[in-house]
Amino acid sequence: MRTSDEKQTAGANAVRRSLAVLRAVGQAGGDITVAELVTRLDLKKPTVHRLVSALVEEEFLQADSVPQRLRLGPVFLELAHSVWNQFDIRGAAAPELERLVQATGFTARLMTRNGDRMICVEAAHPGDRVRVLDVGSMEPLRNSAPGRAVTAFLHDGLWEPDPEEALTKARYYALGSMDAATGQRSVAAPVFDERSEPVAAIVVTGPMHLLSDEQLHAFAPHVLEAARNTSRAAGGYPFAIAPNEPGAKGRSAVIRPVSRQANLIGDSPLWVGDAGTLYWIDILAPAILRLASDGSTESFPMPDVIGALVPNLDGRLVAAFSDSIAIFDPATNVLGSRINVEGVHFGYRFNDGAIDRRGRLWLGYTDPSLDGAHGRLLNINPDGSVAAELSGLGLPNGVVWSGDGSHVYIIDSAMRQLRVYHYDEDRGQFGDFDVLHQFPSDGSRPAGLAMSPTGNLWTAMWDGWELIELTPHGEILDRISLPVPRPSGLRFATDGKSLIVTSAAVRLSLGQLQKAPLSGSVLVCEL
């Protein structure tokens, strides 16, 4: 018979083993089998089975049917909710607000939702600023920067999202101006609870005459960092921002920036006119940009998220927005009237496109809220009607025709694939396809596609710090390291010997931006 001390020791060991099981299931990130637990914990199989059965019975674990796979159970949500209710969000935010004041020189606030308003519950001020906005100050939930930072991620269906909220959701921060009486402008990022619900916003605010859009965008990484740290104290943050570290796979090449403007997501580089003027887009600015003859960057603001810029046969450009298209004339740099596209609704997003040799416009689009093969490639007429479509895609992000027009190469970023489709040029129809290359699921994704004069294909690796060259059959020929983690679009220079590469600075942390200060620039990579 065991003594009392031995029973206490056995009980403590059982508790430790149960906690070890729960920790292993949590660290698995998805689900895990009993056999995998036995291996990880170095315990006997009957012991693990006994512990798992008890934890499932008490709802600390959930078990699927055969083959039995385990994941954390609903009790953890209840416990986490209880912790959040006791969590001092003001205490967690206070040091972040002080750091924001030091970094920006402007007032920093924590605002929580109270009905149809946002109310300030904590604030920090620079010593030389008048405290116009302090604890107790309020702003509307609708049409203010802190309000949009929250409503963009709400799922309560209070109202249909507008273009500004769509931009906020993509950027993870909102810009806004307040009423004329205060003359203040703000940039705000959401704070999330343990259920990934937005419950507050971290805001930097200052006088309108001192804070341009460019300055607010420059403050955004600091605000995001503060909001992320505040959220993390409550159990996590709902999106990953960490690209892979620079790897040693790619070779070095001569790389130089031709535009250092920090695009949130640069994309769709293309050459326009006989002089070969470089245009591209910043999806989330949103804007069309042009490299001027003196080397400066000119920006033409757009009314909505712009997902693609495609050259027409007549020399003009087709700009694709959330649910519409319009003609942009590079002779005047003026955008024409937007035309709604048949069957495409607000909330979707066009992403990349091209024209075939007959002048047909094909644009890829996707529903950002869904996973899987919900994306399509649409053949769109000038009046917005859809002549044909290709389904079964995730996120079309690179479309290139072969020289004879009989094949189309497509990068699917969501599926991490390079595909080739047979194409009937006379009918404008796609046929069967082959997956030429399946990229590994290591965190990076292929983005953009360009064909070299020799017929090889180049793609950029978003979150991968590199360019990859492949044969028309999908074999990797070359890899080039880049000084930015998020290359996006690419186009061959007019000499055919170098690549123009756009990149992104969106949602990178301050530390990552310090490692990659050229993020968002347009680069020339000599091959």
Side-chain angles (χ1 to χ4, degrees):
M1 181 178 295
R2 290 191 294 181
T3 65
S4 176
D5 287 345
E6 289 173 335
K7 289 180 180 179
Q8 289 180 354
T9 300
N13 287 337
V15 170
R16 292 190 187 96
R17 288 171 178 171
S18 296
L19 292 174
V21 169
L22 293 174
R23 188 172 291 110
V25 174
Q27 290 173 346
D31 51 25
I32 191 171
T33 65
V34 170
E36 290 167 337
L37 281 175
V38 170
T39 301
R40 286 194 184 197
L41 300 175
D42 196 24
L43 294 174
K44 294 181 180 180
K45 191 172 184 178
T47 300
V48 174
H49 268 294
R50 186 167 60 251
L51 295 171
V52 164
S53 296
L55 292 169
V56 169
E57 185 177 346
E58 295 297 325
E59 296 188 329
F60 283 91
L61 291 178
Q62 284 183 314
D64 289 335
S65 56
V66 180
Q68 192 180 58
R69 300 192 69 83
L70 305 165
R71 60 182 180 276
L72 296 179
V75 167
F76 279 96
L77 288 177
E78 298 172 13
L79 295 175
H81 185 60
S82 178
V83 170
W84 176 261
N85 286 338
Q86 302 171 35
F87 175 66
D88 180 10
I89 188 173
R90 292 174 60 191
E96 298 300 327
L97 299 181
E98 292 292 344
R99 277 192 283 272
L100 277 176
V101 170
Q102 294 298 317
T104 67
F106 291 91
T107 293
R109 295 178 293 155
L110 170 70
M111 304 192 75
T112 60
R113 182 184 177 186
N114 183 10
D116 61 354
R117 295 190 176 192
M118 299 291 291
I119 183 168
C120 178
V121 296
E122 189 71 23
H125 307 275
D128 60 343
R129 296 275 185 233
V130 177
R131 298 189 177 193
V132 176
L133 300 167
D134 212 332
V135 173
S137 61
M138 290 187 287
E139 297 184 37
L141 184 66
R142 190 72 164 167
N143 298 327
S144 70
R148 273 198 294 272
V150 168
T151 58
F153 296 91
L154 285 177
H155 308 293
D156 53 13
L158 289 176
W159 47 65
E160 289 295 319
D162 60 23
E164 281 297 322
E165 285 174 5
L167 275 172
T168 297
K169 195 166 186 178
R171 294 168 173 164
Y172 265 80
Y173 65 87
L175 305 187
S177 59
M178 298 180 61
D179 59 77
T182 61
Q184 304 286 305
R185 298 205 66 201
S186 301
V187 54
V191 174
F192 295 87
D193 67 8
E194 85 289 352
R195 296 164 298 177
S196 295
E197 292 293 328
V199 294
I202 297 287
V203 193
V204 165
T205 302
M208 187 176 295
H209 68 280
L210 295 179
L211 291 180
S212 64
D213 280 358
E214 290 75 17
Q215 187 64 69
L216 292 174
H217 281 304
F219 287 163
H222 297 274
V223 178
L224 277 168
E225 194 92 342
R228 187 179 307 117
N229 290 339
T230 303
S231 298
R232 187 179 293 117
Y237 202 71
F239 73 93
I241 63 159
N244 296 336
E245 289 298 310
K249 293 181 180 178
R251 67 177 174 87
S252 297
V254 175
I255 296 170
R256 67 182 189 279
V258 294
S259 170
R260 290 179 178 267
Q261 181 160 323
N263 295 278
L264 294 173
I265 303 182
D267 209 343
S268 297
L270 52 90
W271 300 102
V272 176
D274 295 336
T277 302
L278 180 64
Y279 280 78
W280 70 95
I281 62 174
D282 185 340
I283 293 175
L284 299 182
I288 294 174
L289 300 103
R290 178 177 71 176
L291 188 66
S293 57
D294 63 0
S296 64
T297 299
E298 298 176 296
S299 180
F300 309 102
M302 291 292 110
D304 191 4
V305 173
I306 178 169
L309 191 64
V310 180
N312 238 336
L313 293 182
D314 62 6
R316 298 183 300 169
L317 311 177
V318 180
F321 300 99
S322 295
D323 56 359
S324 60
I325 59 173
I327 295 296
F328 180 82
D329 189 347
T332 60
N333 295 308
V334 172
L335 184 74
S337 299
R338 285 190 285 170
I339 299 169
N340 289 333
V341 176
E342 175 187 18
V344 177
H345 306 291
F346 188 84
Y348 291 85
R349 182 169 71 83
F350 282 112
N351 193 81
D352 219 332
I355 59 169
D356 68 10
R357 298 195 306 174
R358 305 288 179 87
R360 299 184 186 92
L361 173 66
W362 289 90
L363 291 175
Y365 87 101
T366 189
D367 182 347
S369 66
L370 297 176
D371 294 324
H374 296 281
R376 299 182 181 186
L377 200 64
L378 303 181
N379 175 201
I380 302 171
N381 294 319
D383 63 358
S385 61
V386 176
E389 69 174 52
L390 172 67
S391 59
L393 297 166
L395 175 60
N397 200 4
V399 182
V400 173
W401 263 261
S402 62
D404 62 2
S406 64
H407 291 84
V408 182
Y409 299 92
I410 296 178
I411 284 288
D412 190 321
S413 292
M415 303 293 187
R416 291 184 167 91
Q417 292 176 345
L418 169 61
R419 297 182 178 186
V420 61
Y421 285 82
H422 293 282
Y423 185 68
D424 186 332
E425 192 174 60
D426 292 331
R427 297 182 178 181
Q429 293 180 348
F430 285 80
D432 296 334
F433 77 92
D434 293 308
V435 176
L436 296 180
H437 192 88
Q438 180 69 54
F439 295 87
S441 55
D442 61 355
S444 61
R445 296 175 182 270
L449 193 63
M451 180 177 286
S452 72
T454 60
N456 290 330
L457 301 159
W458 286 83
T459 189
M461 297 304 292
W462 175 275
D463 280 350
W465 301 78
E466 67 176 350
L467 303 176
I468 293 180
E469 181 186 20
L470 304 102
T471 70
H473 303 291
E475 294 93 3
I476 292 180
L477 285 176
D478 197 4
R479 309 175 87 112
I480 295 178
S481 296
L482 294 175
V484 294
R486 291 181 167 168
S488 46
L490 61 171
R491 176 85 55 174
F492 268 87
T494 52
D495 62 6
K497 298 177 181 179
S498 54
L499 274 169
I500 303 295
V501 183
T502 55
S503 65
V506 70
R507 296 195 298 272
L508 293 175
S509 71
L510 293 172
Q512 291 157 356
L513 289 171
Q514 288 172 355
K515 288 182 181 178
L518 288 177
S519 291
S521 300
V522 180
L523 309 172
V524 174
C525 176
E526 295 183 11
L527 303 179

